[in-house]
Amino acid sequence: MSGPDQPAGIPDRRPVGIDELLERVRAGYRRVEAHEAHDAARAGQALLVDIRYAALRERDGVIPGALVIERNELEWRLDPQGSHKTPEATDHDLRVVVICNEGYASSLAAASLHQLGLHRATDLVGGFQAWKAAGLPVTS
């Protein structure tokens, strides 16, 4: 995309705010609501990945069956070709639903997983707080 002062063919290098960045990355995949994520996980059709840091998990609880991988390790643990992958990282067709606290960091994380070739990665609209508000299972 060229700006008004950009010559044709040269990408626009203007700074992008976080709201615009979120809009751009979210346009690249379909996000899921809490009940859809729950149903997909129960049916063995999705891997729920909780990227919240420990203090939030201790304060609010965890989703039973969700794989806990803190955000700073996510790409290394889910890359099917990586030397530090988790056993669940079987192939690039894995459907991953990334869950953060409120659904913002998880969008950026899902976009990063797409860059690794995990084309079915998505995130939970509203994050863990939406899951909890929907009355879905949470354990201490």
Side-chain angles (χ1 to χ4, degrees):
M1 166 189 283
S2 295
D5 298 324
Q6 288 289 113
I10 297 179
D12 188 354
R13 301 282 185 205
R14 68 179 173 79
V16 175
I18 189 60
D19 293 331
E20 184 178 342
L21 179 60
L22 280 171
E23 185 177 316
R24 286 182 186 183
V25 300
R26 288 173 174 169
Y29 62 91
R30 188 181 69 78
R31 302 176 77 208
V32 297
E33 299 287 338
H35 284 285
E36 181 182 353
H38 178 258
D39 293 346
R42 285 185 62 205
Q45 298 171 349
L47 175 65
L48 304 181
V49 179
D50 186 344
I51 63 169
R52 295 174 303 140
Y53 52 89
L56 287 177
R57 294 190 313 269
E58 290 169 11
R59 182 189 79 189
D60 294 337
V62 296
I63 297 170
L67 182 62
V68 174
I69 302 175
E70 290 198 21
R71 176 63 189 97
N72 64 327
E73 297 180 1
L74 185 69
E75 291 82 359
W76 285 268
R77 304 292 286 150
L78 290 182
D79 178 4
Q81 299 174 340
S83 59
H84 292 76
K85 69 180 179 184
T86 185
E88 291 85 355
T90 54
D91 61 55
H92 287 93
D93 197 43
L94 180 65
R95 183 175 183 204
V96 176
V97 178
V98 183
I99 303 165
C100 68
N101 195 48
E102 295 181 346
Y104 296 99
S106 57
S107 294
L108 299 176
S112 181
L113 294 177
H114 276 254
Q115 290 180 319
L116 288 176
L118 291 157
H119 62 97
R120 296 179 68 205
T122 186
D123 75 310
L124 182 64
V125 175
F128 178 85
Q129 296 305 321
W131 178 281
K132 192 172 179 178
L136 293 169
V138 174
T139 58
S140 300

